[in-house]
Amino acid sequence: MKNKKPLKKKIRSAPEAAGKSTALGRERKLVEALRKSEERFQQIAANAEEWIWEVDAAGLYTYASPVLEKILGYKPEEVIGKKYFYDLFVPEIRNELKKAALEGFACKEPFKGFVNANVHKDGRRVVLETSGTPILNDQGDLLGYRGADFDVTARIRAEEVLRASERSYREQFSKNAAVMLLIDPTDGKIIDANEAAIKFYGYSRARLLEMRISDINALPLSAVQHAMSEVPEEKGRQFQFQHRLADGALRDVEVSSSRIQFGDRSLLHSIIFDITARKQMKAELIQSRLLYAETASMGKVGGWEFDIDTGRQKWTDEMYRILEVPFDFGPTVEKGLEFYSAVTRPVIENAVQRAIAFGEACDLEVPVITGKGNHRIVHIIGKADLAARRIYGFYHDVTERKQAEDTLKSLNENLEQRVNERTQQITDQSMKIQEMYAELTHMGRVAVLGQLSAALAHEINQPLGTILNSASAAHMILTSKDPDIRKVQEILEHIIAEDERAGSIIRGIRDLVRKEAGEHVRVDMQALIQETVKLISNRFTTKGVNLVLDIQADERMFFGNKIQLQQVLLNLLANAFEALNEVSLKKIVIKMRVLQPGQLTVSVFNNGPKISAAIMAQMFKPFKTTKKHGFGVGLFICRSIIQAHGGKLSVDNNADEGVTVSFDLPLLEDGGSK
């Protein structure tokens, strides 16, 4: 029994020993795996491009891969346990970067792409891009961070250079005087437009950036897309399109497009030139050339040129037509001289020689004999260009013109004779018309005097009666025993005054009766009105006419014919007087006003009946009258006289009663004051 117990113990210990052996084996394998994994990690960390690191919760380095020395110049042992990650930041932004990093640590979240500037051991600036993952214990407390840093210094510098290049490009693009667009060739969207493009197209920049190039290009969308696809990668391409502006106008443009790399995008850089004017000029030039050819043919004008040294000539098509030779004639100076007669040829040769020797121009009109034997006359103008060793000019067939000139000369001589004869006839007729007009005017004045004869007779009889009575009184005083000589002197002075009064009336009548109307002089309209009224006032008074003068014009002087204007006043007053035959309370008002600057208006108002529209329409026509014994020329002559003085005469029915006849006359430029 004593022997069995150890056996059982041994039996029980075997599995236990086996278990311990298995666990130890697994532990060894795990350790070996960890060792190999550590070796692989170290190999990877040593050969990787990035620097792998670990820091504790305070940021102190606890691990740094050997790549640290390659990136920042420090060996791992120089930073592990000795430096915090923020100690390597550049001083000027160290606190800012440290704050940002520790705030990230506090979040205990992974991070990527943290770009930070560090100082290399040799003092250089190195930019790193950092990514990290938090290290947490089982309770979630932050133990530290592990991660990797990439050296992005070269990339950052390249990006800065690119950004600077893009800024420079944008500045040049924006301020360039040429119209420029940046276009995405994949969809035609306008990416950018410079100031010149905004001004040219008339859209705002914001509106342009909403548009596609097909919104501007007049071509169909498919054609625009095809054109964009044809721009090669390495060199540009030129196109001609029509672009539509904001106002709807179409402009012809030449577009120079090339591909440029803008960031990670391939864009079309297009420079647009407005060639509308150029195309119009080109079209006009083509049209002008066609027009020249057509008009040269119509006008029979040919152009020529010959080489001084070789004698070879160049002709325009019309030259061949004028000289009636085939287009393969092959002109030379010698062959050209054959078209001239023996008399004319020396003249041509001399002109050519002087042009070559002295550069003189020639202007000749000579006969030629065409290739078909027809005789023509040509006008030749030539000019020498000795620097280019050539003489050139034009050749004008003036045969028909010369024939027309001869015919025209004959016609002109005949026409001149007929014109002279007709001119004499017109002159004679004009003189007769002037004489008839003067006679008609004179008749008008005589007619007016006839109408006013009673009043004029009274005006003359009155001073004559006074003279007779005064003379009788003087005779009685002188025959008395004791004559009063002073009283006789007073009577004689009164007789002289009355004689002068009668004489002035007779002179006025004589002036009116004279056929000659007198000259233009300075006339005082107020005095003329008063003088005229004086001639007829007695008749108006005896017939019960209330004649009123309403003169309210300081400016009254004008330049005119006094006799003719007095005739107008007398005629208007006579007409007004006759219009009052059927009116019991008769009234005539003469007004004088300056209604407009530089213009004097005289009006004759009567309160008689109004004039019908039918009569008003005929009033100024000659030989149209409503009077039994009238000629119908009074108002016609009056209007002619006023128009000749630069004025106008009008007749108007008054609003309430009667008629007003008015005329305007221009005042003298010195203000018309007396």
Side-chain angles (χ1 to χ4, degrees):
M1 296 295 291
K2 291 180 180 179
N3 293 333
K4 289 181 181 178
K5 288 181 180 179
L7 180 60
K8 290 181 181 180
K9 188 177 182 179
K10 288 180 182 180
I11 292 171
R12 287 194 301 270
S13 297
E16 293 177 1
K20 289 181 180 180
S21 176
T22 302
L24 183 60
R26 284 199 298 270
E27 184 177 347
R28 285 175 180 162
K29 289 180 180 179
L30 181 60
V31 170
E32 180 64 20
L34 287 173
R35 183 184 65 77
K36 290 182 178 180
S37 176
E38 180 68 19
E39 286 180 357
R40 285 196 299 272
F41 172 77
Q42 292 294 342
Q43 289 174 356
I44 292 170
N47 294 299
E49 291 294 325
E50 66 270 19
W51 161 35
I52 299 172
W53 50 265
E54 282 186 6
V55 294
D56 62 16
L60 183 67
Y61 282 109
T62 57
Y63 173 77
S65 68
V67 179
L68 170 64
E69 186 173 6
K70 178 180 177 182
I71 293 175
L72 292 178
Y74 293 98
K75 294 181 179 180
E77 55 268 26
E78 291 181 284
V79 299
I80 296 174
K82 297 176 181 178
K83 289 185 180 292
Y84 293 87
F85 67 86
Y86 46 79
D87 292 335
L88 301 177
F89 290 160
V90 293
E92 57 267 27
I93 55 173
R94 179 175 296 158
N95 291 334
E96 181 182 344
L97 292 175
K98 173 183 175 182
K99 181 181 178 182
L102 293 179
E103 286 176 353
F105 276 24
C107 295
K108 296 187 285 187
E109 295 289 339
F111 63 89
K112 282 185 177 183
F114 177 59
V115 178
N116 50 95
N118 296 264
V119 181
H120 193 277
K121 188 176 181 179
D122 62 9
R124 286 184 291 114
R125 183 187 181 97
V126 179
V127 182
L128 302 178
E129 186 177 271
T130 306
S131 299
T133 303
I135 304 172
L136 306 174
N137 61 16
D138 293 340
Q139 289 75 36
D141 298 325
L142 181 68
L143 300 179
Y145 264 84
R146 69 168 59 94
D149 276 299
F150 293 87
D151 184 355
V152 294
T153 306
R155 191 193 79 191
I156 294 298
R157 287 176 181 168
E159 289 176 354
E160 289 176 351
V161 170
L162 180 60
R163 281 194 294 272
S165 175
E166 289 180 356
R167 281 195 301 271
S168 175
Y169 169 79
R170 285 189 178 278
E171 288 177 1
Q172 294 180 23
F173 175 85
S174 176
K175 297 178 181 178
N176 202 296
V179 178
M180 293 185 179
L181 295 175
L182 274 182
I183 302 166
D184 188 339
T186 59
D187 57 6
K189 184 173 178 56
I190 298 173
I191 304 301
D192 204 353
N194 69 351
E195 291 296 327
I198 294 168
K199 183 177 180 181
F200 175 68
Y201 289 109
Y203 293 104
S204 66
R205 186 172 183 276
R207 179 70 184 100
L208 277 172
L209 299 190
E210 294 174 351
M211 300 171 73
R212 301 180 189 277
I213 192 63
S214 55
D215 298 328
I216 292 174
N217 200 310
L219 288 176
L221 176 62
S222 58
V224 176
Q225 291 173 336
H226 178 71
M228 289 190 294
S229 68
E230 285 190 326
V231 179
E233 292 289 342
E234 297 180 355
K235 59 181 181 179
R237 177 79 184 272
Q238 285 189 336
F239 304 91
Q240 285 193 4
F241 299 123
Q242 279 194 320
H243 279 187
R244 185 176 291 103
L245 309 186
D247 61 6
L250 286 175
R251 304 292 291 179
D252 292 302
V253 295
E254 185 174 85
V255 181
S256 180
S257 292
S258 58
R259 292 184 182 270
I260 63 169
Q261 200 65 28
F262 205 85
D264 58 348
R265 304 170 72 182
S266 176
L267 302 177
L268 287 182
H269 176 247
S270 295
I271 305 175
I272 297 95
F273 301 95
D274 186 355
I275 60 169
T276 306
R278 192 177 81 192
K279 289 196 74 173
Q280 288 175 347
M281 288 178 63
K282 185 177 180 181
E284 288 172 2
L285 180 60
I286 293 172
Q287 189 64 31
S288 177
R289 287 175 177 171
L290 291 173
L291 179 62
Y292 168 76
E294 291 173 358
T295 53
S297 176
M298 291 170 61
K300 298 182 179 180
V301 178
W304 56 269
E305 176 189 69
F306 76 81
D307 188 301
I308 293 174
D309 298 321
T310 65
R312 285 194 296 270
Q313 289 195 352
K314 294 179 183 177
W315 289 359
T316 63
D317 291 352
E318 193 58 26
M319 282 287 295
Y320 294 93
R321 296 190 186 100
I322 292 172
L323 293 173
E324 296 183 315
V325 293
F327 287 106
D328 59 355
F329 176 71
T332 63
V333 173
E334 291 76 13
K335 292 170 74 173
L337 289 172
E338 294 176 0
F339 295 105
Y340 304 99
S341 67
V343 176
T344 307
R345 193 173 300 164
V347 177
I348 301 297
E349 290 174 339
N350 180 60
V352 171
Q353 289 169 2
R354 294 189 67 82
I356 295 172
F358 307 110
E360 287 186 2
C362 66
D363 189 340
L364 305 170
E365 198 167 277
V366 294
V368 295
I369 303 172
T370 70
K372 294 183 178 180
N374 294 315
H375 290 263
R376 297 184 183 279
I377 299 174
V378 295
H379 182 197
I380 306 170
I381 290 183
K383 184 177 180 181
D385 181 2
L386 299 182
R389 303 294 295 163
R390 68 181 186 127
I391 299 175
Y392 63 97
F394 73 78
Y395 208 78
H396 186 195
D397 182 356
V398 295
T399 308
E400 293 178 359
R401 191 197 75 190
K402 294 296 290 183
Q403 293 172 349
E405 284 177 355
D406 292 340
T407 303
L408 184 61
K409 182 179 179 181
S410 176
L411 291 172
N412 280 339
E413 290 173 352
N414 184 39
L415 180 61
E416 185 176 357
Q417 181 180 354
R418 295 180 64 184
V419 167
N420 290 336
E421 292 173 355
R422 184 57 179 158
T423 302
Q424 186 60 46
Q425 292 175 0
I426 293 172
T427 303
D428 295 342
Q429 290 176 358
S430 177
M431 291 179 66
K432 288 180 180 179
I433 290 171
Q434 290 177 7
E435 291 173 359
M436 290 172 64
Y437 180 77
E439 184 67 29
L440 187 62
T441 305
H442 176 252
M443 288 173 60
R445 292 198 294 273
V446 172
V448 171
L449 289 175
Q451 294 176 28
L452 303 174
S453 58
L456 294 174
H458 177 80
E459 291 295 327
I460 295 172
N461 287 332
Q462 196 173 37
L464 291 177
T466 303
I467 291 171
L468 179 60
N469 292 332
S470 297
S472 297
H475 181 267
M476 290 175 64
I477 293 172
L478 289 173
T479 57
S480 66
K481 292 181 179 181
D482 188 14
D484 187 347
I485 302 302
R486 173 172 285 184
K487 186 66 175 178
V488 172
Q489 287 178 340
E490 291 177 356
I491 292 172
L492 290 175
E493 288 174 357
H494 185 63
I495 289 172
I496 293 170
E498 290 299 312
D499 179 71
E500 288 178 351
R501 177 185 169 194
S504 66
I505 294 172
I506 292 169
R507 282 194 299 273
I509 296 171
R510 184 185 61 192
D511 289 341
L512 284 169
V513 174
R514 286 171 56 190
K515 287 190 176 181
E516 296 79 7
E519 298 179 350
H520 280 56
V521 295
R522 286 173 66 93
V523 179
D524 183 338
M525 178 55 76
Q526 181 176 346
L528 184 61
I529 292 173
Q530 291 170 340
E531 180 182 332
T532 305
V533 169
K534 190 175 180 181
L535 289 172
I536 60 174
S537 60
N538 185 68
R539 184 188 182 198
F540 281 27
T541 302
T542 57
K543 294 295 184 179
V545 177
N546 181 17
L547 180 59
V548 180
L549 294 184
D550 183 5
I551 297 175
Q552 299 180 27
D554 294 332
E555 299 173 308
R556 55 185 185 271
M557 301 299 293
F558 62 94
F559 193 71
N561 188 301
K562 181 179 177 181
I563 295 174
Q564 289 182 346
L565 292 168
Q566 190 172 41
Q567 176 183 350
V568 172
L569 286 170
L570 285 170
N571 195 296
L572 298 185
L573 288 169
N575 289 344
F577 179 81
E578 290 190 6
L580 300 176
N581 287 335
E582 300 176 3
V583 179
S584 57
L585 296 176
K586 300 174 173 54
K587 185 178 181 180
I588 296 176
V589 181
I590 303 175
K591 292 184 179 181
M592 188 174 79
R593 299 283 192 277
V594 177
L595 301 178
Q596 295 183 11
Q599 181 174 291
L600 183 68
T601 300
V602 177
S603 302
V604 178
F605 160 84
N606 71 78
N607 64 337
K610 295 184 180 182
I611 302 172
S612 68
I615 295 175
M616 188 75 78
Q618 303 287 326
M619 290 196 70
F620 291 107
K621 293 183 178 180
F623 309 110
K624 297 289 184 179
T625 181
T626 58
K627 302 174 185 177
K628 292 181 179 179
H629 305 291
F631 293 106
V633 294
L635 282 177
F636 170 72
I637 292 173
C638 288
R639 188 173 69 170
S640 299
I641 291 172
I642 295 300
Q643 288 177 344
H645 282 74
K648 63 179 182 178
L649 186 144
S650 59
V651 180
D652 298 289
N653 286 317
N654 298 324
D656 48 359
E657 61 178 359
V659 176
T660 298
V661 183
S662 304
F663 62 86
D664 301 325
L665 291 173
L667 289 165
L668 291 177
E669 292 184 358
D670 59 6
S673 59
K674 190 171 180 180

